[in-house]
Amino acid sequence: MPRVIVDCAMYRDGRRSQAPKDFSDALDEARAGGDAFVWVGMHEPTEKEFEHVSQEFGLHPLAVEDALGAHQRPKLEVYDDSLFVVLKPVMYDEATDTVTTGELMVFIGDSFVVTVRHGEGAALAAVRHRLEHEPEVLKHGPTAVLYAVSDAVVDHYIEVAAELQSDLEELEAEVFAPNVTDTKNTAARIYGFKRQVLEFRRATSPLLQPMDRLAFGSVPFVHDHAQPFFRDVADHLTKANEYIEGLDRLLSDALAAHLAQMGVRQNDDMRKISAWAAMAAVPTMVAGIYGMNFDHMWELHQRWGYPVLLVIMAVMCLGLHRMFKRRGWL
């Protein structure tokens, strides 16, 4: 088998069994029994590597093109012989405060499941392992796999949203700290955080409509009795979207508060500068009048003219300082 095939197995009555090496034989055997299906998991296949699988399972060319090209929005497409679902798993790196998204495509049809994964995250080994320990769930066939994969992806959305909420609380504490000097870095962090939330929203918001179709509509290759389970996934997805909308609003409020604080600080600085400039203007004015090379000064020939003038300037400066201090300018 190609190296991109991470796992391939046949499941009969909810229990794993060795699948034939040829996909056609495996599919025929699964359909003949009526209680079995084949699950093929792939990671970043090339067009040539995926061609054999797509031909054997009869996958639609448009869905195959989407699965190979990646960079798709979450969606659900119904074709004659298969159902195609695109999910975008989300990963959050606390060290760099970045949200990254992978892509996960799921094909389900008559007695088969094909999953195609792009990116480093969203490995399905844990989902497969959990399902293999729940044969009562797995015996429901491809529908159970689609539910388990969707549930795992959406539940991780909530975990990532909780981590973002924790980091946002730290950022808010920094914004409202009394002595923040590096205002440029704070504003840059807020903008960067908003970009991560936007990336998160691109993964979750478009998935609402596909989950609603699975939860409340009749979709081919999905059992109607699975609708309550997909409704649970849709409910968790709604919760995740509410988390994200709340984060976005809080970030906007934090940015507005930060800009307001910067304006207040600038006003305080301007008042202080104006106060010191006013105090410096007094001796400058007096010195400008009496700074000529006259004899003793103070209306020319008075011996105590200079000392008296210096005292007057000091008194005026102290008076201005006291007035500005009383008004809160200093």
Side-chain angles (χ1 to χ4, degrees):
M1 292 184 181
R3 60 179 177 80
V4 294
I5 296 182
V6 179
D7 199 351
C8 176
M10 178 183 291
Y11 296 91
R12 189 182 303 278
D13 196 26
R15 301 189 181 279
R16 180 173 180 138
S17 61
Q18 186 64 37
K21 293 184 179 180
D22 186 85
F23 291 137
S24 295
D25 294 341
L27 193 57
D28 291 341
E29 182 178 333
R31 288 172 175 170
D35 60 348
F37 70 95
V38 179
W39 182 359
V40 179
M42 308 185 73
H43 180 236
E44 296 183 352
T46 63
E47 182 177 356
K48 184 176 181 180
E49 291 168 333
F50 196 51
E51 182 179 4
H52 178 61
V53 174
S54 61
Q55 289 178 350
E56 293 295 342
F57 290 100
L59 306 180
H60 196 279
L62 291 177
V64 170
E65 182 181 350
D66 289 345
L68 291 173
H71 304 294
Q72 302 296 315
R73 283 166 53 90
K75 62 180 180 178
L76 184 153
E77 299 285 351
V78 179
Y79 298 102
D80 293 336
D81 299 321
S82 63
L83 180 71
F84 178 57
V85 180
V86 178
L87 304 167
K88 292 184 77 69
V90 170
M91 290 72 66
Y92 182 57
D93 186 355
E94 291 189 28
T96 58
D97 293 336
T98 54
V99 172
T100 56
T101 56
E103 292 199 38
L104 183 58
M105 288 77 171
V106 183
F107 297 86
I108 70 171
D110 184 10
S111 302
F112 73 85
V113 179
V114 177
T115 54
V116 180
R117 180 168 58 90
H118 291 269
E120 296 301 322
L124 295 179
V127 177
R128 189 188 288 260
H129 181 74
R130 178 166 61 85
L131 280 174
E132 289 176 355
H133 284 77
E134 298 177 354
E136 290 299 318
V137 176
L138 195 55
K139 72 178 182 180
H140 292 290
T143 301
V145 176
L146 179 60
Y147 159 70
V149 171
S150 303
D151 185 57
V153 170
V154 172
D155 282 349
H156 193 60
Y157 287 163
I158 297 177
E159 294 175 8
V160 172
E163 292 178 0
L164 287 172
Q165 178 68 39
S166 177
D167 287 351
L168 177 58
E169 291 174 358
E170 296 179 5
L171 184 58
E172 285 179 326
E174 179 180 328
V175 168
F176 295 105
N179 297 315
V180 179
T181 56
D182 194 357
T183 56
K184 290 184 179 180
N185 185 57
T186 302
R189 284 193 62 193
I190 295 174
Y191 275 114
F193 211 121
K194 284 184 72 69
R195 289 184 64 86
Q196 305 313 312
V197 171
L198 177 61
E199 183 72 16
F200 198 173
R201 175 174 283 177
R202 287 173 181 166
T204 61
S205 293
L207 189 58
L208 283 170
Q209 185 177 3
M211 282 298 116
D212 284 343
R213 289 180 64 185
L214 291 168
F216 300 104
S218 180
V219 180
F221 308 107
V222 176
H223 299 306
D224 291 340
H225 60 71
Q227 287 183 351
F229 297 95
F230 284 108
R231 282 199 291 270
D232 181 66
V233 177
D235 182 60
H236 290 177
L237 180 60
T238 301
K239 182 179 179 180
N241 273 288
E242 290 174 351
Y243 258 125
I244 297 167
E245 290 175 3
L247 288 172
D248 191 46
R249 286 195 299 269
L250 286 173
L251 281 168
S252 297
D253 293 343
L255 180 60
H258 176 65
L259 294 176
Q261 284 183 323
M262 288 181 62
V264 170
R265 292 192 188 103
Q266 288 175 349
N267 287 337
D268 289 341
D269 292 340
M270 287 302 300
R271 285 189 299 180
K272 290 178 181 179
I273 293 171
S274 299
W276 287 111
M279 287 187 289
V282 171
T284 301
M285 179 188 67
V286 176
I289 296 175
Y290 289 98
M292 307 298 181
N293 292 322
F294 294 122
D295 220 8
H296 300 302
M297 287 299 291
W298 193 264
E299 303 306 332
L300 300 183
H301 300 291
Q302 296 180 2
R303 184 174 298 276
W304 299 101
Y306 273 117
V308 172
L309 185 62
L310 291 175
V311 171
I312 292 174
M313 287 191 293
V315 170
M316 293 177 69
C317 288
L318 288 173
L320 287 172
H321 184 276
R322 184 175 180 182
M323 181 183 69
F324 290 138
K325 192 77 171 178
R326 189 185 305 118
R327 293 184 179 182
W329 286 33
L330 291 174

